[in-house]
Structure formats: structure tokens, C-alpha cells
Amino acid sequence: MNKLFASTILILALIFATGCQNNPNRGRDIGILAGAVLGGIAGAQMGDGGDANVVAGAVIGGALGGLGGNQIDKRQEELQAAEAQRQYEYEQEVQAQEKLESEIKTLEEKRIRDEIARKATAADVTAAEREAARVEAELAAKKKAYEESQARALRIQEAQERIAKAQEELAELERQENGQY
């Protein structure tokens, strides 16, 4: 077997191997191909370089390459499983943290309510209700004033539009009277 043929086989094997990107047994397949090619080349270099040496080298190389590739595939699967497990554990930890923070917030709100309940008197309740009514009345007055100002602004805009339209009509009539039309 000549060296050009061996080089061609090696190049074709590497091209084929890189085309198997989504193959789950990619390591095994690449190992078999690379081992067979390299074993065939080694077999061609040994002894008389006959076909039997090339075939024997290719078979032995393919078998050894397949075994090595299987180990690579298994390790890759283990790494992917470990990463999936880490991701799952991280998500569980995030959920637990969010739940804990929510519980802390709820407890803090309850603590504040309880503290107010222990210290509040009837006069405090009356004062709080009076203040709430005052703020609500102030809000209602401001809302009413805002709505009235918006209504005035709208009326002014409408009046300005009417003025502009009337001025256009006057200008048109003046042009017609002067014969400029």
C-alpha cells in the first residue's frame, strides 16, 4: 500500500469523523476510524507491507481505537449527567432561597402588625382613620383640579383650532375679493 493511499484514507477518515458532531457515540466512531487508519498505516509499514498486514493493523487499530473512544463517550456522558445534576441542585437552591425570603418578609410584616396591635390605643386608631380620610380628601381634590385643568386645556385647544379655521376662511375670502384666486 503506498503512502499516498494511506494519507488519503487518513484524510477521509478525519473528514468523516468531524461530520459526526451530533452522534452520541462520536468518540467510539472516531476512535474506530482513527485506530483503523493508523493501524492500517502501521501494518503497511511492518513486514512486507502486504494486504494481510494492512488489514490486521486496521482491525487491531480499530478495536483499540473503539475501546478508547468508548471511554471518552462514557466520560462525556458522566460529565453531562453531573452538570445536569448541578443545574438541578442550583435551581432547587434558588427556589428554596426565594421561598425563605418570602417567609421572612411575611414574618416581618406580621411582626410589625403585632407590634402596632400591642401598642395601639383607640385614640391611635381614630387618629390614623382621620389622617387617612384627610389624605383621601386631598387626593380627591387634586384629582378634581387636574381633571378640570385638563378640560380647560381641551377647550382652549378646540378654540384655537376654530380660530385657525376661521382665519383660513377669512384669508380665502380676501383673496377671492381681491381677484387673486
Side-chain angles (χ1 to χ4, degrees), residues 135-171:
V135 172
E136 289 169 345
E138 183 179 339
L139 175 63
K142 287 192 184 227
K143 280 184 180 178
K144 183 178 178 187
Y146 175 77
E147 290 170 0
E148 289 173 353
S149 70
Q150 291 296 311
R152 286 191 304 270
L154 182 61
R155 288 175 53 200
I156 290 171
Q157 285 176 331
E158 290 171 351
Q160 288 173 339
E161 289 172 5
R162 289 193 339 250
I163 291 169
K165 184 177 177 183
Q167 287 175 339
E168 288 176 13
E169 289 178 16
L170 278 173

Side-chain angles (χ1 to χ4, degrees), residues 5-175:
F5 181 68
S7 299
T8 304
I9 290 176
L10 179 60
I11 291 170
L12 288 174
L14 291 174
I15 289 171
F16 173 75
T18 57
C20 301
Q21 294 294 335
N22 295 327
N23 183 354
N25 298 321
R26 182 171 179 259
R28 184 201 66 192
D29 294 348
I30 291 172
I32 290 171
L33 285 171
V37 170
L38 293 175
I41 292 170
Q45 301 299 319
M46 294 181 172
D48 62 357
D51 289 342
N53 288 344
V54 172
V55 170
V59 169
I60 292 170
L64 293 174
L67 290 173
N70 273 338
Q71 292 302 314
I72 292 171
D73 288 340
K74 286 179 184 177
R75 181 67 182 141
Q76 185 67 29
E77 288 174 11
E78 290 170 359
L79 290 172
Q80 288 173 346
E83 180 59 29
Q85 181 65 30
R86 278 192 296 276
Q87 183 65 31
Y88 172 77
E89 289 170 1
Y90 173 75
E91 289 171 2
Q92 293 298 311
E93 191 174 309
V94 167
Q95 290 176 356
Q97 182 68 27
E98 289 172 351
K99 182 179 177 185
L100 181 62
E101 288 172 1
S102 175
E103 290 173 356
I104 289 171
K105 182 179 177 185
T106 301
L107 287 172
E108 181 64 19
E109 290 170 353
K110 184 180 181 314
R111 184 192 64 78
I112 291 170
R113 275 193 313 272
D114 289 347
E115 186 176 321
I116 291 171
R118 278 192 303 274
K119 295 179 180 179
T121 64
D124 293 334
V125 172
T126 302
E129 288 174 344
R130 195 174 25 245
E131 179 63 13
R134 184 194 67 75
V135 172
E136 289 169 345
E138 183 179 339
L139 175 63
K142 287 192 184 227
K143 280 184 180 178
K144 183 178 178 187
Y146 175 77
E147 290 170 0
E148 289 173 353
S149 70
Q150 291 296 311
R152 286 191 304 270
L154 182 61
R155 288 175 53 200
I156 290 171
Q157 285 176 331
E158 290 171 351
Q160 288 173 339
E161 289 172 5
R162 289 193 339 250
I163 291 169
K165 184 177 177 183
Q167 287 175 339
E168 288 176 13
E169 289 178 16
L170 278 173
E172 180 64 29
L173 284 174
E174 287 176 3
R175 278 193 295 273

